[in-house]
Amino acid sequence: AGAVPAAAKSSWGPFLKSIASFNGDLASLTAPPFILSSTSLTEYSGYWAEHPEIFVAPAQENDPQKRALLVLKWFLTTLKQQYSSRSEKLGSEKKPLNPFLGELFLGKWKDPTGEIGETQLISEQVSHHPPVTAYAILNEKHGVKLEGYNGQKASFSGGTISVKQVGHAKYHLREFDEDYLITLPSLHIEGIVYGSPYVELNRGSTIHSSTGYIAQIDYSGKGWITGKKNTFSATLKKEGSKDILYAINGQWSDGFTIKEGKSKKELETYNAKTTEITPLYVAPIEEQDPLESRRAWAKVQESITTGDLETTGTEKSKIENEQRELRKKEREEGREWERRYFTRVMDDPVFTRLAESPGIAAEEGKTDGIWVFDEKKFSQVAEKARAGGEARAEEAANTVA
Ligand SMILES: CCC(=O)OC[C@H](C)CC[C@H]1O[C@H]2C[C@H]3[C@@H]4CC=C5C[C@@H](O)CC[C@]5(C)[C@H]4CC[C@]3(C)[C@H]2[C@@H]1C
C-alpha cells in the first residue's frame, strides 16, 4: 500500500510539532494516523480481570499469607495485557480515543464452568479535564471487588514520553473482610523515534494488605543482568519484617517463577504467553446506552478502521461540540454532570490506613479526592434497568393483548 508511507511521512510533522509544545496532556498529541486506535481508554479497565479464575483465586484460599501471594500473582498476570497487548496484537502501542465525561464501558466475563461465576466490568470516565477513568470489577459468587481509578501525568524528554499514573486500585475480599491497596506503575513509551512505540514500566508498585503483608514489585525494563525487556522482581514480606516470604522474578510480558523466600524452593512458574484470556462479553450496540463507548464512538471507530481521516475528524468534532454544549448548560444551571456509578470522596479510610505503609509514596491524586464505587448508585441503576425492562415487557404484553 504505497499510500501509507506518504501518510506516515506527512503526519510526522503535526506529531513532532505537538511533541515540541507538549504540555503533559496526552490527548493533545497529534499522533500519526497509523497510531490512532479506535478503542476508547475506558476499555483499558478491562485489562484488570481477563483471567477471572486468577482474579477470584485468593477468595478460595484460607491461609492469609498464601492469599496475599495469590493477590500479588493476580496483579502480575494483568501486566502483559495492560501494557503490551496493543503492541503484540497491532505491532505497536496505539493512541486510544480520549473518553468524554460520563462515557461508560460495561461488560462481563461469563463462566460456562459455574465455578468462577460471572465477573462484571463497570468503567466510567469520571473526569475529562484531566482525564480520569474509574472502574469496578465485581464477582458476586466469590465476593471479590476491585475498584480504582487512574489518570496520567505525562512529560516528554529525550525522545520518550514518561507517564506517571495518578490513582490506585483497591482489591476487596468480602468473606475475609480484607483489602489490598495497589499503587500503579509509572511507564515510559520507547521506540517513538522509530515510529513503533511500546510501553516499558519504571520504578515500582506496592501492594499493602489490611492483614499486614507488603508486596514490592520493581520493574527494571531492560534488566542490566538479563538484558530482557519487561523484567521485574517482586517480594512479599510481613509488615515490619525483613524476611522475604516469597520472591517472584521474570518478565511480566512473558512469564515468571514464584519461589519460597527462605528455601528458594520453586513453587510455580506462570507462562503469560500461553495462559488463555477469557473474552469480555459486551452487549450489541443496539442494546447499549448512548453513553457506552462503542455506541457513542461507532462512527469514529468505523472511519479510523477504514482510514477515512476526513470523517474521523468531523465525527470527533460532533462529539466534542455536544460535550461543550453540555458543559455550558451545566455551568449556566450551576450543576455538575452526575456520575452514574462513582462518587468522589475527600477521604477513604481504607485508602488512608493502607497508604501510610512505607512503600507507598504520597498519592498526588489524593489532593482532589478519591473516586470510589458507589454501591447505592449501582443498585439504583440496576433497579431502574429492571423497572425499565418490566415496563417494556408490560407494554409489549399490552400491545399484544
Ligand atoms: C509514533 C509516535 C506516537 O504517536 O506516539 C504516541 C504513543 C502512542 C504514545 C502515547 C500513548 O501511549 C499509550 C499507552 C497508554 C497507556 C497504556 C496502559 C495503561 C494502563 C491502564 O490500566 C491505564 C491507562 C494506561 C496507563 C494507558 C494511558 C494512555 C497511554 C499512555 C497512551 C498514550 C496516549
Side-chain angles (χ1 to χ4, degrees):
V4 173
K9 257 205 291 298
S10 69
S11 64
W12 277 108
F15 173 68
L16 296 177
K17 213 154 62 59
S18 69
I19 279 276
S21 59
F22 187 52
N23 62 358
D25 172 11
L26 289 164
S28 67
L29 281 174
T30 328
F34 55 91
I35 287 284
L36 292 181
S37 154
S38 58
T39 304
S40 173
L41 196 50
T42 49
E43 298 208 21
Y44 286 41
S45 306
Y47 291 133
W48 284 100
E50 293 185 299
H51 302 297
E53 72 288 356
I54 301 178
F55 176 67
V56 301
Q60 294 140 296
E61 170 55 61
N62 285 318
D63 174 276
Q65 182 171 301
K66 292 205 179 87
R67 248 191 333 266
L69 175 64
L70 286 172
V71 172
L72 170 56
K73 175 189 165 189
W74 153 72
F75 173 73
L76 293 169
T77 64
T78 66
L79 298 176
K80 175 171 179 288
Q81 284 301 101
Q82 293 273 16
Y83 299 105
S84 61
S85 55
R86 279 88 38 201
S87 313
E88 298 202 350
K89 230 178 14 218
L90 310 169
S92 90
E93 186 50 81
K94 297 290 180 185
K95 183 175 186 268
L97 291 171
N98 180 26
F100 52 84
L101 178 59
E103 182 177 331
L104 301 170
F105 183 66
L106 309 170
K108 56 183 140 186
W109 290 276
K110 296 182 175 178
D111 165 34
T113 68
E115 271 112 51
I116 307 164
E118 199 168 85
T119 306
Q120 195 174 358
L121 168 67
I122 298 160
S123 179
E124 179 172 2
Q125 197 67 3
V126 291
S127 167
H128 181 64
H129 282 303
V132 178
T133 310
Y135 55 88
I137 297 181
L138 314 164
N139 179 288
E140 224 12 71
K141 182 180 172 65
H142 292 286
V144 180
K145 173 174 74 169
L146 176 76
E147 62 179 306
Y149 67 98
N150 55 60
Q152 294 85 36
K153 282 200 160 77
S155 60
F156 180 74
S157 65
T160 62
I161 294 174
S162 298
V163 180
K164 169 156 184 9
Q165 292 197 67
V166 175
H168 63 274
K170 196 172 68 176
Y171 179 94
H172 178 74
L173 290 169
R174 185 179 59 215
E175 191 182 332
F176 304 101
D177 190 19
E178 213 164 271
D179 289 290
Y180 294 76
L181 184 70
I182 302 163
T183 64
L184 304 174
S186 294
L187 54 105
H188 67 271
I189 312 284
E190 296 207 354
I192 290 189
V193 285
Y194 305 111
S196 67
Y198 66 92
V199 167
E200 187 53 88
L201 296 181
N202 319 326
R203 306 229 308 274
S205 296
T206 304
I207 303 178
H208 184 210
S209 80
S210 52
T211 41
Y213 291 96
I214 294 198
Q216 189 64 44
I217 303 109
D218 296 314
Y219 310 105
S220 56
K222 292 194 177 4
W224 55 276
I225 310 170
T226 61
K228 292 188 197 132
K229 66 185 176 103
N230 312 143
T231 310
F232 76 90
S233 70
T235 58
L236 183 69
K237 296 177 184 168
K238 185 83 173 129
E239 213 163 3
S241 156
K242 286 197 175 30
D243 297 346
I244 294 179
L245 301 169
Y246 300 101
I248 306 184
N249 289 282
Q251 290 167 275
W252 46 263
S253 53
D254 191 323
F256 53 79
T257 301
I258 303 177
K259 289 183 181 162
E260 244 175 27
K262 262 202 199 55
S263 66
K264 303 267 187 281
K265 181 164 153 276
E266 218 172 275
L267 299 176
E268 180 189 345
T269 292
Y270 174 78
N271 184 325
K273 289 198 179 303
T274 56
T275 308
E276 287 294 305
I277 298 277
T278 301
L280 181 73
Y281 169 78
V282 181
I285 289 202
E286 56 279 4
E287 289 170 25
Q288 288 184 15
D289 183 300
L291 292 172
E292 287 185 64
S293 303
R294 294 184 187 177
R295 174 167 166 176
W297 290 104
K299 294 208 182 76
V300 170
Q301 291 172 333
E302 163 73 23
S303 53
I304 289 178
T305 310
T306 57
D308 175 353
L309 295 185
E310 177 86 15
T311 311
T312 303
T314 42
E315 288 305 329
K316 263 190 184 176
S317 310
K318 273 188 204 162
I319 292 177
E320 281 148 11
N321 293 335
E322 269 163 32
Q323 287 300 306
R324 263 191 285 277
E325 282 312 303
L326 284 171
R327 297 300 84 82
K328 190 160 153 278
K329 213 155 150 287
E330 285 150 16
R331 264 196 307 278
E332 283 156 6
E333 294 167 11
R335 61 185 169 82
E336 212 188 298
W337 173 264
E338 174 71 30
R339 275 67 174 179
R340 189 170 295 187
Y341 296 102
F342 296 89
T343 299
R344 178 161 46 191
V345 297
M346 286 325 280
D347 210 356
D348 166 347
V350 171
F351 171 81
T352 310
R353 195 164 70 72
L354 294 177
E356 299 322 312
S357 86
I360 296 185
E363 282 282 313
E364 284 166 32
K366 208 172 142 184
T367 43
D368 49 6
I370 290 167
W371 287 97
V372 294
F373 181 59
D374 187 320
E375 306 275 355
K376 211 161 45 41
K377 286 185 177 181
F378 176 58
S379 53
Q380 279 163 352
V381 170
E383 190 38 50
K384 219 188 283 175
R386 231 192 322 279
E390 277 151 18
R392 269 197 302 279
E394 180 92 1
E395 204 182 296
N398 291 344
T399 42
V400 165

